[in-house]
Amino acid sequence: MSPTARMLLVLAALAPAALACAEEPRTEIPRELVLERFRVAKGGDLLLVPVRFAGRDRLFVVDTGNTLTTFDESLPLGVPRTVVESITPQGRVPVRIYDSPSAEVGRLPLQVPYVIGADLGWMREISGYRIDGVLGMDFLRRFVVHIDFDRGELLLLKAVPRDAGEAIALR
């Protein structure tokens, strides 16, 4: 059997599996559920959204694995509320905690009890983006976060669409 014939045979065998895994969206998400809509990268890059703070739009990373919202300490956050010690792979480091600043994520107010201040220079250096913060679950937990990588959209919804499919418990 020729190499081309073998390749076609392999592709034919894999096609049904690919079709079974690729699920088309059931319907458009109803407009009345969408609180905010952001354009994001399609190719697996960081999920970046604008956060309006101190009169400017700043790029924040959306990070569902981060518990708390973090602002770069180069921003005018005022005087820290407190400083606590955190254990990191680099050892014990001081973590500054600030009162939640007045800021908006799109049109939504950033409502969190407090924010962390940190040097995010390493994120800017690695990513090449001017990142000024990270949106954590303390903000995101109020919404249904819908990410459509094919369309390059991140939506913050007020509820789960009725035909969203079967719920899967995450523990």
Side-chain angles (χ1 to χ4, degrees):
M1 185 181 290
S2 75
T4 302
R6 271 193 291 246
M7 181 60 84
L8 289 173
L9 186 61
V10 169
L11 290 174
L14 293 177
L19 290 174
C21 292
E23 184 178 323
E24 287 297 317
R26 288 172 169 49
T27 62
E28 280 294 314
I29 293 177
R31 290 174 90 86
E32 63 270 12
L33 293 182
V34 179
L35 296 170
E36 192 57 84
R37 180 183 307 264
F38 300 100
R39 304 293 308 149
V40 294
K42 292 182 179 184
D45 208 345
L46 292 172
L47 296 173
L48 299 171
V49 299
V51 172
R52 187 97 175 141
F53 172 70
R56 285 187 40 207
D57 281 340
R58 300 164 188 282
L59 287 180
F60 274 53
V61 176
V62 174
D63 186 355
T64 59
N66 209 25
T67 304
L68 301 171
T69 295
T70 304
F71 277 64
D72 189 84
E73 285 198 320
S74 67
L75 299 175
L77 293 170
V79 177
R81 173 195 290 190
T82 189
V83 179
V84 296
E85 196 171 77
S86 180
I87 299 172
T88 72
Q90 290 77 32
R92 294 178 182 272
V93 296
V95 176
R96 289 166 193 79
I97 299 174
Y98 294 87
D99 289 328
S100 183
S102 177
E104 293 84 33
V105 182
R107 296 179 310 259
L108 303 170
L110 177 72
Q111 292 176 329
V112 294
Y114 54 87
V115 298
I116 301 297
D119 178 0
L120 300 179
W122 64 272
M123 287 183 99
R124 291 188 288 276
E125 186 176 323
I126 291 171
S127 71
Y129 295 107
R130 175 65 196 160
I131 295 170
D132 284 322
V134 179
L135 285 177
M137 286 305 295
D138 56 345
F139 171 76
L140 297 169
R141 69 186 171 104
R142 299 181 313 159
F143 310 102
V144 174
V145 180
H146 176 89
I147 305 165
D148 187 331
F149 292 105
D150 293 331
R151 290 185 177 170
E153 281 188 329
L154 182 144
L155 307 177
L156 297 179
L157 308 175
K158 58 178 146 184
V160 175
R162 289 170 44 159
D163 62 350
E166 185 180 334
I168 299 171
L170 301 177
R171 300 187 195 281

